[in-house]
Amino acid sequence: MSTVMESKVRIQREDFSVTGEIEAIKKVSRNIGGIVTFLGTGRELSKGENITQLNFEHYPNMAEKKLEEIRVKAIADFKIIDMSIIHRIGEIDIGENIVLIVAAAEHRTEAFKACEWAIAELKRTTPIWKRETTSKGEVWVQDTP
Amino acid sequence: MSTVMESKVRIQREDFSVTGEIEAIKKVSRNIGGIVTFLGTGRELSKGENITQLNFEHYPNMAEKKLEEIRVKAIADFKIIDMSIIHRIGEIDIGENIVLIVAAAEHRTEAFKACEWAIAELKRTTPIWKRETTSKGEVWVQDTP
Amino acid sequence: MTRLLYFASLRALAGKSEESLELGGETTVRALGERIGKTSPKLGEMILGKKVMVSVNQDVATLDTPVRDGDEVAFLPPFSGGAI
Amino acid sequence: MTRLLYFASLRALAGKSEESLELGGETTVRALGERIGKTSPKLGEMILGKKVMVSVNQDVATLDTPVRDGDEVAFLPPFSGGAI
């Protein structure tokens, strides 16, 4: 196990590098054969409205704690080797990166399952909120899980 | 639609950049909200044997044609926005990238389904062969689909 | 003192993002909701009607969860992280 | 002339990676397999026993697919691309 330079779950304003996060997780084991990533990006359209900007807010510490719970449960339940979860906050433009989940496993089936579960779980349990700016103004999105 | 700099399906000796491929596919539409990628990497262990190197060979043109068929069918069947598929050939060391599939969609569910289907279909239909080098010598892997 | 935090859409309803209250002894989330309802009726209604999630010291709470001096209580509208 | 291609593990069995044959008129994959079997018995057996896939001009073929002058016939062992 190499020295962990940065935490595998992070909430940050700045953008992240998908390649950088994948290379970091590769260092964990020489037995990784499949890495599945989910990258969520800012879409222009939402329920027919044209979005010009997104803005994310989180509950500091509690949100990071929830992400770490998701990571630990994914590793245990899906028998994957490791997972990293990064969510950006603040202003996000259309096309920009919002959230990244990387699931590394020996085989691909578990990596797909773990990654898909983790993003659904993040939406359900992690105190992060999205505000959309459209021509009609700004609105906090109230997603029903 | 921007000018396509490179084909979205490729078989090549050199490594690829996951971030680079994701950024290329993002340019296709401002309505991409979820990008799922599968990255296959060289594992050290295979059926209990310690692998020191991998070597991939393909049937030129036919393999590229099969990848393009997978891409076109994935876009049509899963209603995703676009897909790119890249497979490396030649010598691959442990931990190195072998294959990348990027599925970009409006929503994540279709992107996950398309990506998982595409890698299974690649293994089933695309004339690419893997040779593993272990302490016992070199052996062509005969995967049963 | 007990620290109350209002996130996202609840900030406009509460008219603030946080406040500190003197509880005068142990109370519950329910009693806190009733107290908030006196100045922000709609917010109080949402808390008591379980339309918003409440956390006490960053753990998810129910209306019966006790609240003590020094606790951090947060009012959390439905989450919408994770892009799409 | 018809071009024959042997890939991966079949190269060692055929003793070559490719060859050009004069067919002397239209034939079939089956007849080609029988002809190959005379010099490489195990390879001929695998072709006729459908243990290897055969393509004609890069389309998947059956034993009855016709083979003509100028065609490219490839013998393809089970695929193993895609990492794990």
Coordinates of all heavy atoms in Angstrom, one line a residue, chain A residues 11-92:
Chain A
I11 N -14.5 16.9 -1.4 CA -15.4 17.9 -1.9 C -14.6 19.2 -2.1 O -13.9 19.6 -1.2 CB -16.6 18.1 -1.0 CG1 -17.4 16.8 -0.9 CG2 -17.5 19.3 -1.4 CD1 -18.6 16.8 0.0
Q12 N -14.6 19.7 -3.3 CA -13.7 20.8 -3.6 C -14.2 21.7 -4.7 O -15.1 21.3 -5.5 CB -12.3 20.2 -4.1 CG -12.5 19.3 -5.4 CD -11.2 18.6 -5.8 OE1 -10.5 18.0 -5.0 NE2 -10.9 18.6 -7.1
R13 N -13.7 22.9 -4.7 CA -14.2 23.9 -5.7 C -13.5 23.7 -7.0 O -14.1 23.7 -8.1 CB -13.8 25.3 -5.3 CG -14.6 25.8 -4.1 CD -14.6 27.3 -3.8 NE -15.6 27.5 -2.8 CZ -16.9 27.8 -3.1 NH1 -17.2 28.1 -4.3 NH2 -17.8 27.9 -2.1
E14 N -12.2 23.4 -7.0 CA -11.4 23.2 -8.2 C -11.8 22.0 -9.0 O -12.3 21.0 -8.4 CB -9.9 23.3 -7.9 CG -9.4 22.2 -7.0 CD -9.5 22.5 -5.5 OE1 -10.4 23.4 -5.1 OE2 -8.8 21.9 -4.7
D15 N -11.5 22.0 -10.3 CA -11.7 20.8 -11.1 C -10.8 19.7 -10.7 O -9.8 19.9 -10.0 CB -11.5 21.2 -12.6 CG -12.1 20.2 -13.6 OD1 -12.9 19.3 -13.1 OD2 -11.8 20.3 -14.8
F16 N -11.1 18.5 -11.2 CA -10.2 17.3 -11.0 C -9.8 16.7 -12.3 O -10.4 17.1 -13.3 CB -11.0 16.3 -10.1 CG -12.4 16.0 -10.6 CD1 -12.7 15.3 -11.7 CD2 -13.5 16.6 -9.9 CE1 -14.0 15.1 -12.2 CE2 -14.8 16.4 -10.4 CZ -15.0 15.6 -11.5
S17 N -8.8 15.9 -12.3 CA -8.4 15.2 -13.5 C -8.8 13.8 -13.4 O -8.4 13.0 -12.5 CB -6.8 15.3 -13.6 OG -6.3 14.2 -14.4
V18 N -9.6 13.3 -14.4 CA -10.0 11.9 -14.4 C -8.8 11.0 -14.5 O -8.6 10.0 -13.8 CB -11.0 11.6 -15.6 CG1 -11.4 10.2 -15.6 CG2 -12.2 12.5 -15.5
T19 N -7.9 11.3 -15.4 CA -6.7 10.5 -15.6 C -5.9 10.5 -14.3 O -5.4 9.4 -13.8 CB -5.8 11.1 -16.7 OG1 -6.5 10.9 -18.0 CG2 -4.5 10.3 -16.8
G20 N -5.8 11.6 -13.6 CA -5.0 11.7 -12.4 C -5.6 10.8 -11.3 O -4.9 10.1 -10.6
E21 N -6.9 10.8 -11.2 CA -7.6 10.0 -10.2 C -7.5 8.5 -10.5 O -7.3 7.7 -9.6 CB -9.1 10.4 -10.0 CG -9.3 11.9 -9.6 CD -8.6 12.2 -8.3 OE1 -8.5 11.3 -7.4 OE2 -8.2 13.4 -8.1
I22 N -7.5 8.2 -11.8 CA -7.4 6.8 -12.2 C -6.0 6.3 -11.9 O -5.8 5.2 -11.3 CB -7.7 6.6 -13.7 CG1 -9.2 6.7 -13.9 CG2 -7.2 5.3 -14.2 CD1 -9.7 6.7 -15.3
E23 N -5.0 7.1 -12.2 CA -3.6 6.7 -11.9 C -3.4 6.6 -10.4 O -2.6 5.7 -10.0 CB -2.6 7.7 -12.5 CG -2.6 7.7 -14.1 CD -2.3 6.3 -14.7 OE1 -1.4 5.6 -14.1 OE2 -3.0 5.9 -15.6
A24 N -4.0 7.4 -9.6 CA -3.8 7.4 -8.2 C -4.4 6.0 -7.6 O -3.8 5.4 -6.8 CB -4.5 8.5 -7.5
I25 N -5.5 5.6 -8.2 CA -6.2 4.4 -7.7 C -5.4 3.2 -8.2 O -5.4 2.1 -7.5 CB -7.7 4.4 -8.0 CG1 -8.5 3.7 -6.9 CG2 -8.0 3.7 -9.3 CD1 -10.0 3.9 -7.0
K26 N -4.8 3.3 -9.3 CA -4.0 2.2 -9.9 C -2.9 1.8 -8.9 O -2.5 0.6 -8.9 CB -3.4 2.6 -11.2 CG -4.3 2.3 -12.4 CD -3.4 2.5 -13.7 CE -4.1 2.5 -15.0 NZ -3.2 2.8 -16.1
K27 N -2.4 2.8 -8.2 CA -1.2 2.5 -7.3 C -1.6 1.6 -6.2 O -0.7 1.1 -5.5 CB -0.7 3.9 -6.8 CG 0.0 4.7 -7.9 CD 0.9 5.8 -7.3 CE 1.6 6.5 -8.4 NZ 0.7 7.5 -9.1
V28 N -2.8 1.5 -5.9 CA -3.3 0.7 -4.7 C -3.0 -0.8 -4.9 O -2.6 -1.4 -3.9 CB -4.8 0.9 -4.5 CG1 -5.3 0.0 -3.4 CG2 -5.1 2.4 -4.1
S29 N -3.1 -1.3 -6.1 CA -2.9 -2.8 -6.3 C -2.4 -3.1 -7.7 O -2.8 -2.4 -8.6 CB -4.2 -3.5 -6.0 OG -4.2 -4.8 -6.5
R30 N -1.6 -4.1 -7.8 CA -1.2 -4.6 -9.2 C -2.3 -5.6 -9.7 O -2.0 -6.2 -10.8 CB 0.2 -5.2 -9.1 CG 1.3 -4.1 -9.0 CD 2.6 -4.7 -8.7 NE 3.1 -5.6 -9.8 CZ 3.8 -5.1 -10.9 NH1 4.0 -3.8 -11.0 NH2 4.3 -5.9 -11.8
N31 N -3.3 -5.8 -9.0 CA -4.3 -6.7 -9.4 C -5.6 -6.1 -10.0 O -6.6 -6.8 -10.2 CB -4.7 -7.7 -8.3 CG -4.1 -9.1 -8.6 OD1 -4.0 -9.4 -9.7 ND2 -3.8 -9.8 -7.6
I32 N -5.5 -4.8 -10.2 CA -6.7 -4.1 -10.8 C -6.8 -4.5 -12.3 O -5.8 -4.4 -13.0 CB -6.6 -2.6 -10.6 CG1 -6.7 -2.3 -9.1 CG2 -7.7 -1.9 -11.4 CD1 -6.4 -0.8 -8.8
G33 N -7.9 -5.0 -12.7 CA -8.1 -5.3 -14.1 C -9.2 -4.5 -14.8 O -9.2 -4.4 -16.0
G34 N -10.1 -3.9 -14.0 CA -11.2 -3.1 -14.5 C -11.5 -1.9 -13.7 O -11.6 -2.0 -12.5
I35 N -11.5 -0.8 -14.3 CA -11.8 0.5 -13.6 C -13.0 1.1 -14.3 O -12.9 1.5 -15.5 CB -10.6 1.4 -13.6 CG1 -9.4 0.8 -13.0 CG2 -10.9 2.8 -13.0 CD1 -8.1 1.6 -13.1
V36 N -14.1 1.3 -13.6 CA -15.3 1.9 -14.1 C -15.4 3.3 -13.4 O -15.3 3.4 -12.2 CB -16.5 1.1 -13.8 CG1 -17.8 1.9 -14.2 CG2 -16.4 -0.2 -14.6
T37 N -15.6 4.3 -14.3 CA -15.8 5.6 -13.7 C -17.1 6.2 -14.2 O -17.6 6.0 -15.3 CB -14.7 6.6 -14.2 OG1 -14.8 6.9 -15.6 CG2 -13.3 6.1 -13.9
F38 N -17.7 7.0 -13.3 CA -18.9 7.8 -13.6 C -18.5 9.2 -13.5 O -18.0 9.7 -12.4 CB -20.1 7.5 -12.7 CG -21.2 8.5 -13.0 CD1 -22.0 8.3 -14.1 CD2 -21.4 9.5 -12.2 CE1 -23.0 9.3 -14.4 CE2 -22.5 10.5 -12.4 CZ -23.2 10.3 -13.6
L39 N -18.7 10.0 -14.6 CA -18.4 11.4 -14.5 C -19.7 12.2 -14.8 O -20.3 12.0 -15.9 CB -17.4 11.8 -15.6 CG -17.0 13.3 -15.8 CD1 -16.4 13.8 -14.5 CD2 -16.2 13.5 -17.0
G40 N -20.2 12.9 -13.9 CA -21.4 13.8 -14.1 C -20.9 15.1 -14.5 O -20.0 15.8 -13.9
T41 N -21.6 15.6 -15.6 CA -21.2 17.0 -16.1 C -22.5 17.8 -16.2 O -23.6 17.4 -16.3 CB -20.6 16.8 -17.5 OG1 -21.5 16.1 -18.4 CG2 -19.3 16.0 -17.5
G42 N -22.2 19.1 -16.3 CA -23.3 20.1 -16.4 C -24.0 20.1 -17.7 O -23.4 20.3 -18.8
R43 N -25.3 19.7 -17.7 CA -26.1 19.7 -18.9 C -26.8 21.0 -19.2 O -27.2 21.7 -18.2 CB -27.3 18.7 -18.8 CG -26.9 17.3 -18.9 CD -28.2 16.5 -18.8 NE -29.0 16.7 -20.0 CZ -30.3 16.5 -20.1 NH1 -31.0 16.1 -19.0 NH2 -31.0 16.7 -21.2
E44 N -27.0 21.3 -20.4 CA -27.7 22.6 -20.8 C -29.2 22.6 -20.5 O -29.7 23.6 -20.2 CB -27.4 22.9 -22.3 CG -27.8 24.3 -22.7 CD -27.2 24.6 -24.1 OE1 -27.5 23.8 -25.0 OE2 -26.5 25.6 -24.2
L45 N -29.8 21.4 -20.7 CA -31.2 21.4 -20.5 C -31.6 20.6 -19.3 O -31.0 19.7 -18.9 CB -31.8 20.6 -21.7 CG -32.0 21.4 -23.0 CD1 -32.5 20.4 -24.1 CD2 -33.0 22.5 -22.8
S46 N -32.7 21.2 -18.6 CA -33.3 20.5 -17.5 C -34.7 20.8 -17.5 O -35.2 21.9 -17.3 CB -32.6 21.0 -16.2 OG -33.3 20.5 -15.1
K47 N -35.5 19.7 -17.6 CA -37.0 19.9 -17.7 C -37.4 21.0 -18.7 O -38.3 21.8 -18.4 CB -37.6 20.2 -16.3 CG -37.5 18.9 -15.4 CD -37.5 19.4 -13.9 CE -37.0 18.2 -13.0 NZ -36.1 18.6 -11.9
G48 N -36.7 21.0 -19.8 CA -37.1 21.9 -20.9 C -36.5 23.3 -20.7 O -36.6 24.1 -21.6
E49 N -35.9 23.6 -19.6 CA -35.4 24.9 -19.4 C -33.9 25.0 -19.8 O -33.2 24.0 -19.6 CB -35.4 25.3 -17.9 CG -36.8 25.6 -17.4 CD -37.4 26.9 -18.0 OE1 -36.6 27.8 -18.1 OE2 -38.6 26.9 -18.2
N50 N -33.5 26.1 -20.4 CA -32.1 26.3 -20.8 C -31.3 26.8 -19.6 O -31.6 27.9 -19.1 CB -32.0 27.3 -21.9 CG -31.4 26.7 -23.1 OD1 -31.8 25.6 -23.5 ND2 -30.3 27.3 -23.6
I51 N -30.3 26.0 -19.2 CA -29.5 26.3 -18.0 C -28.3 27.1 -18.4 O -27.6 26.7 -19.4 CB -29.2 25.1 -17.2 CG1 -30.4 24.4 -16.7 CG2 -28.2 25.4 -16.1 CD1 -30.2 23.0 -16.2
T52 N -28.0 28.1 -17.7 CA -26.8 28.9 -18.0 C -25.7 28.6 -17.0 O -24.5 28.7 -17.3 CB -27.0 30.4 -18.1 OG1 -27.6 30.8 -16.8 CG2 -28.0 30.7 -19.2
Q53 N -26.0 28.2 -15.8 CA -25.0 27.9 -14.8 C -25.6 27.1 -13.7 O -26.8 27.1 -13.4 CB -24.5 29.2 -14.2 CG -23.1 28.9 -13.5 CD -22.5 30.2 -13.0 OE1 -23.1 31.0 -12.3 NE2 -21.2 30.4 -13.5
L54 N -24.7 26.3 -13.1 CA -25.1 25.5 -11.9 C -24.2 26.0 -10.7 O -23.1 26.5 -10.9 CB -24.8 24.0 -12.2 CG -25.5 23.4 -13.3 CD1 -24.9 22.0 -13.7 CD2 -27.0 23.2 -12.9
N55 N -24.8 25.7 -9.5 CA -24.1 26.1 -8.3 C -24.3 25.0 -7.3 O -25.5 24.8 -7.0 CB -24.5 27.5 -7.9 CG -23.5 28.2 -7.1 OD1 -23.0 27.7 -6.1 ND2 -23.0 29.4 -7.6
F56 N -23.3 24.5 -6.7 CA -23.5 23.4 -5.7 C -23.0 23.9 -4.4 O -22.0 24.6 -4.2 CB -22.7 22.2 -6.1 CG -23.3 21.4 -7.3 CD1 -23.0 21.7 -8.6 CD2 -24.2 20.4 -7.0 CE1 -23.6 21.0 -9.6 CE2 -24.8 19.7 -8.1 CZ -24.5 20.0 -9.4
E57 N -23.8 23.5 -3.4 CA -23.5 23.8 -2.0 C -23.4 22.5 -1.2 O -24.2 21.6 -1.5 CB -24.6 24.7 -1.4 CG -24.5 25.0 0.0 CD -25.7 25.9 0.5 OE1 -26.1 26.7 -0.3 OE2 -26.1 25.7 1.6
H58 N -22.6 22.4 -0.1 CA -22.7 21.1 0.7 C -22.6 21.5 2.2 O -22.4 22.6 2.5 CB -21.5 20.2 0.3 CG -20.1 20.7 0.9 ND1 -19.6 21.9 0.7 CD2 -19.2 20.0 1.6 CE1 -18.5 22.0 1.3 NE2 -18.2 20.8 1.8
Y59 N -22.9 20.5 3.0 CA -22.8 20.6 4.4 C -21.4 20.1 4.8 O -21.2 18.9 4.7 CB -23.9 19.8 5.1 CG -24.0 19.8 6.6 CD1 -25.0 19.1 7.3 CD2 -23.1 20.6 7.4 CE1 -25.1 19.1 8.6 CE2 -23.2 20.6 8.8 CZ -24.2 19.9 9.4 OH -24.3 19.9 10.8
P60 N -20.5 21.0 5.1 CA -19.1 20.6 5.3 C -19.0 19.6 6.4 O -19.8 19.6 7.4 CB -18.4 21.9 5.7 CG -19.2 23.0 5.1 CD -20.7 22.5 5.2
N61 N -18.1 18.6 6.3 CA -17.9 17.5 7.2 C -18.9 16.4 7.1 O -18.6 15.3 6.9 CB -17.7 18.0 8.6 CG -16.6 18.9 8.8 OD1 -15.5 18.8 8.2 ND2 -16.8 20.0 9.6
M62 N -20.2 16.8 7.2 CA -21.2 15.7 7.1 C -21.2 15.2 5.7 O -21.3 13.9 5.5 CB -22.6 16.3 7.4 CG -23.7 15.1 7.4 SD -25.3 15.7 7.9 CE -26.3 14.2 7.6
A63 N -21.1 16.0 4.6 CA -21.0 15.5 3.3 C -19.8 14.6 3.0 O -20.0 13.5 2.5 CB -21.0 16.7 2.3
E64 N -18.7 15.0 3.5 CA -17.5 14.2 3.4 C -17.6 12.8 4.1 O -17.2 11.8 3.6 CB -16.2 14.9 3.9 CG -15.7 16.0 3.0 CD -16.4 17.4 3.2 OE1 -17.4 17.4 3.9 OE2 -15.8 18.4 2.8
K65 N -18.3 12.9 5.3 CA -18.5 11.7 6.1 C -19.4 10.7 5.3 O -19.1 9.5 5.3 CB -19.1 12.1 7.4 CG -19.1 11.0 8.5 CD -19.5 11.6 9.8 CE -21.0 11.7 9.9 NZ -21.5 12.1 11.2
K66 N -20.4 11.2 4.7 CA -21.3 10.4 3.9 C -20.6 9.8 2.7 O -20.8 8.6 2.4 CB -22.5 11.2 3.4 CG -23.5 11.6 4.5 CD -24.2 10.4 5.1 CE -25.1 10.7 6.3 NZ -25.6 9.5 6.9
L67 N -19.7 10.5 2.0 CA -19.0 10.0 0.9 C -18.1 8.9 1.4 O -17.9 7.8 0.7 CB -18.2 11.1 0.2 CG -19.0 12.2 -0.5 CD1 -18.0 13.1 -1.3 CD2 -20.0 11.7 -1.4
E68 N -17.4 9.1 2.5 CA -16.5 8.0 3.0 C -17.3 6.7 3.4 O -16.9 5.6 3.2 CB -15.7 8.5 4.2 CG -14.8 7.5 4.8 CD -13.7 7.1 3.9 OE1 -13.4 7.7 2.9 OE2 -13.1 6.0 4.1
E69 N -18.6 6.9 3.9 CA -19.4 5.8 4.2 C -19.8 5.0 2.9 O -19.8 3.8 2.9 CB -20.7 6.2 4.9 CG -20.6 6.6 6.4 CD -21.9 7.2 7.0 OE1 -23.0 7.0 6.4 OE2 -21.8 7.8 8.0
I70 N -20.1 5.8 1.9 CA -20.4 5.1 0.6 C -19.2 4.3 0.1 O -19.3 3.2 -0.3 CB -20.8 6.2 -0.5 CG1 -22.1 6.8 -0.1 CG2 -20.9 5.6 -1.9 CD1 -22.5 8.1 -0.9
R71 N -18.0 5.0 0.2 CA -16.8 4.3 -0.3 C -16.5 3.0 0.5 O -16.3 2.0 -0.1 CB -15.6 5.3 -0.1 CG -14.2 4.7 -0.4 CD -13.1 5.7 -0.3 NE -11.8 5.0 -0.5 CZ -11.1 4.5 0.5 NH1 -11.6 4.8 1.8 NH2 -10.0 3.9 0.3
V72 N -16.6 3.1 1.8 CA -16.3 1.9 2.6 C -17.3 0.8 2.3 O -17.0 -0.4 2.2 CB -16.3 2.3 4.1 CG1 -16.4 1.1 5.0 CG2 -15.1 3.1 4.4
K73 N -18.6 1.1 2.2 CA -19.6 0.1 1.9 C -19.5 -0.5 0.5 O -19.7 -1.7 0.4 CB -21.0 0.8 2.1 CG -22.2 -0.2 2.2 CD -23.4 0.4 2.9 CE -24.7 -0.3 2.7 NZ -24.6 -1.8 2.6
A74 N -19.1 0.3 -0.4 CA -18.9 -0.2 -1.8 C -17.8 -1.2 -1.8 O -17.9 -2.2 -2.5 CB -18.6 1.0 -2.7
I75 N -16.7 -0.9 -1.1 CA -15.6 -1.8 -1.1 C -16.0 -3.1 -0.5 O -15.6 -4.2 -1.0 CB -14.4 -1.1 -0.4 CG1 -13.8 0.1 -1.2 CG2 -13.2 -2.2 -0.2 CD1 -12.8 0.9 -0.5
A76 N -16.7 -3.0 0.6 CA -17.1 -4.2 1.4 C -18.2 -5.0 0.6 O -18.0 -6.2 0.4 CB -17.6 -3.9 2.7
D77 N -19.2 -4.4 0.1 CA -20.3 -5.1 -0.4 C -20.1 -5.6 -1.8 O -20.6 -6.7 -2.2 CB -21.6 -4.1 -0.5 CG -22.2 -3.9 0.9 OD1 -21.6 -4.4 1.9 OD2 -23.2 -3.2 1.0
F78 N -19.3 -4.9 -2.6 CA -19.1 -5.3 -4.0 C -17.7 -6.0 -4.2 O -17.4 -6.3 -5.4 CB -19.3 -4.1 -5.0 CG -20.7 -3.6 -4.9 CD1 -21.0 -2.5 -4.1 CD2 -21.7 -4.1 -5.7 CE1 -22.2 -2.0 -4.1 CE2 -23.0 -3.6 -5.6 CZ -23.3 -2.5 -4.8
K79 N -16.9 -6.1 -3.1 CA -15.6 -6.8 -3.2 C -14.7 -6.1 -4.3 O -14.1 -6.8 -5.0 CB -15.8 -8.3 -3.6 CG -16.8 -9.0 -2.7 CD -16.2 -9.8 -1.6 CE -17.3 -10.6 -0.8 NZ -17.9 -9.7 0.3
I80 N -14.8 -4.8 -4.3 CA -13.9 -4.1 -5.2 C -12.6 -3.8 -4.4 O -12.5 -3.9 -3.2 CB -14.5 -2.8 -5.8 CG1 -14.9 -1.8 -4.7 CG2 -15.7 -3.2 -6.6 CD1 -15.4 -0.5 -5.2
I81 N -11.6 -3.3 -5.2 CA -10.3 -3.1 -4.5 C -10.3 -1.7 -3.9 O -9.8 -1.5 -2.8 CB -9.2 -3.2 -5.6 CG1 -9.0 -4.7 -6.0 CG2 -7.8 -2.7 -5.0 CD1 -8.1 -5.0 -7.1
D82 N -10.8 -0.7 -4.6 CA -10.8 0.7 -4.0 C -11.8 1.5 -4.8 O -12.3 1.2 -5.9 CB -9.5 1.3 -4.0 CG -9.3 2.3 -2.8 OD1 -10.3 2.7 -2.3 OD2 -8.2 2.6 -2.5
M83 N -12.2 2.6 -4.2 CA -13.1 3.6 -4.8 C -12.7 5.0 -4.4 O -12.3 5.2 -3.3 CB -14.5 3.3 -4.4 CG -15.5 4.4 -4.8 SD -17.3 4.0 -4.4 CE -17.7 2.9 -5.8
S84 N -12.8 5.9 -5.4 CA -12.6 7.3 -5.0 C -13.9 8.1 -5.4 O -14.5 7.8 -6.4 CB -11.4 8.0 -5.5 OG -11.2 7.8 -6.9
I85 N -14.2 9.1 -4.7 CA -15.4 9.9 -4.9 C -15.1 11.4 -4.8 O -14.6 11.8 -3.7 CB -16.6 9.6 -4.0 CG1 -16.8 8.1 -3.9 CG2 -17.9 10.3 -4.4 CD1 -17.9 7.7 -2.9
I86 N -15.3 12.2 -5.8 CA -15.0 13.6 -5.7 C -16.2 14.4 -6.2 O -16.7 14.1 -7.3 CB -13.7 13.9 -6.6 CG1 -12.5 13.1 -6.1 CG2 -13.4 15.4 -6.5 CD1 -11.5 12.9 -7.2
H87 N -16.6 15.4 -5.5 CA -17.7 16.2 -5.9 C -17.3 17.7 -5.8 O -16.7 18.1 -4.8 CB -18.9 16.0 -5.0 CG -20.2 16.4 -5.6 ND1 -20.5 17.7 -6.0 CD2 -21.3 15.6 -5.9 CE1 -21.8 17.7 -6.5 NE2 -22.3 16.5 -6.4
R88 N -17.6 18.4 -6.9 CA -17.2 19.8 -6.9 C -18.4 20.7 -6.3 O -19.5 20.3 -6.3 CB -16.9 20.3 -8.3 CG -15.6 19.8 -8.8 CD -15.4 20.3 -10.2 NE -15.1 21.7 -10.2 CZ -15.3 22.5 -11.3 NH1 -15.6 21.9 -12.5 NH2 -15.0 23.8 -11.3
I89 N -18.0 21.8 -5.7 CA -19.0 22.8 -5.2 C -18.7 24.1 -5.9 O -17.7 24.3 -6.5 CB -19.0 22.9 -3.7 CG1 -17.6 23.1 -3.2 CG2 -19.7 21.7 -3.0 CD1 -17.5 23.6 -1.8
G90 N -19.6 25.1 -5.7 CA -19.5 26.4 -6.2 C -20.0 26.5 -7.7 O -20.8 25.6 -8.0
E91 N -19.6 27.5 -8.4 CA -20.1 27.7 -9.7 C -19.6 26.7 -10.7 O -18.4 26.4 -10.8 CB -19.8 29.1 -10.2 CG -20.5 30.2 -9.5 CD -20.1 31.6 -10.0 OE1 -19.3 31.6 -11.0 OE2 -20.7 32.5 -9.5
I92 N -20.5 26.1 -11.5 CA -20.1 25.1 -12.5 C -20.8 25.5 -13.9 O -22.0 25.7 -13.9 CB -20.6 23.7 -12.1 CG1 -20.2 23.3 -10.7 CG2 -20.2 22.6 -13.2 CD1 -19.1 22.4 -10.6

